[in-house]
Amino acid sequence: MSHVLNNFLSENLNELKSQGLYNEIEPVDGPNGAKISVKGSELINLSSNNYLGLATNPELKQIAKEAVDKYGVGAGAVRTINGTLDLHVKLEQKLAEFKGTEAAISYQSGFNCNMAAISAVMDKNDAILSDQLNHASIIDGCRLSRAKIIAFNHSDMDDLRAKAKAATESGQYNKVMVITDGVFSMDGDIAKLPEIVAIAKEFDLITYVDDAHGSGVTGKGKGTVKQFGLEKEIDFQIGTLSKAIGVVGGYVAGKQDLIDWLKVRSRPFLFSTALPPGDVAAITAAVQIIIDSTELHDKLWDNGDYLKAGLAKLGFDIGASETPITPCIIGDEKLTQTFSKRLFEEGVYAKSIVFPTVPKGAGRVRNMPTAAHTKEMLDEAIAAYEKVGKELGVIK
Ligand SMILES: *Cc1c(COP(=O)(O)O)cnc(C)c1O
């Protein structure tokens, strides 16, 4: 065993622990629903991305079981050998219908979808204009492509326009892409897609929107691109199948030519085993539920509005979210962590998010209400917030 590695690990782990930055993970011992069980205690769960409650939907569980019975537990190969089941083809047709595009391609996760898609199209002779607050998987996907990464200030359209102009007029790059989250998950704000599209048109930029937190949530469930009616304008519509859709996976929806190219050039499609059949069957049915009805969507938004109103009335700073994501901004990092720990003791699971995920001094407890919560659960959570908030002097 390497001494160099041992020293590296023990030094760094000890440093993290001494700074209180080492994250101890508590396993959940049951479904990740509106309530969860951790170490035998029941908690109201305000930390999942299971926006519509589909992760625990009984009908989807049944469909997954039936697919496992018919196809087995694994796809057996990568998509380009013989891992493409008829189930994958059906899923991709359903995703294209869902997103209003010619075609779609699925991947094993949202994270690896960004690894796959960006580097299949962009290379070292290109540039990418990337919102400063983009998700880690977008940042890694950009790095992997070896294109020049030009960050623009968060949702600052003057900055984007100036940088788009400079990049295109420099003549240094073959292609220039603009890339953004559809919904930013730390604050719940929505990307300014109409302005981004206008700038993209002016400078002939490739447009790439990762709507991981938008699908199922914005645009009556159809996502942020749909909300603005821009399905024909955005080149890459990226989504995850692991948040509102409730299972696992990622996808790109776009023009047929783009999808054909990704099928021959995106490396996780070529070199990593296809999504398993039970998951694929459940995902396809979950997307159908979202296409067919806004019932869960409406319940989600109703619950989001209810939680926001309750916390704001108590005097908490809930930021400027435009979606059900409800940050409760505390500020100081230590106080934020103490707040979250006290909520846990009061029966509410709501995670603290601090630097470096958000700027220094902007620590917050982030709440993710879902369609599966009842008003009684939200009332209990609001009561816990009131108790802890007064105790720690965050509210009067
Ligand atoms: C969560 C998230 C991902 C990762 O999706 P997974 O399916 O969990 O891998 C990618 N992009 C964005 C913007 C996300 O919020």
Side-chain angles (χ1 to χ4, degrees), residues 109-111 114 135 137 181 210 212-213 240 242-243 249:
S109 77
F111 198 105
N114 282 325
H135 188 261
S137 61
D181 279 28
D210 179 349
H213 282 273
T240 172
S242 6
K243 288 176 178 145

Side-chain angles (χ1 to χ4, degrees), residues 33 65 77 97 108 153 179 188 230 250 283 325 342 351 381:
K65 284 178 199 163
E97 178 191 337
Q108 300 87 347
N153 295 333
I179 187 161
L230 294 170
I283 295 162
I325 295 172
R342 282 289 299 118
K351 267 282 194 199

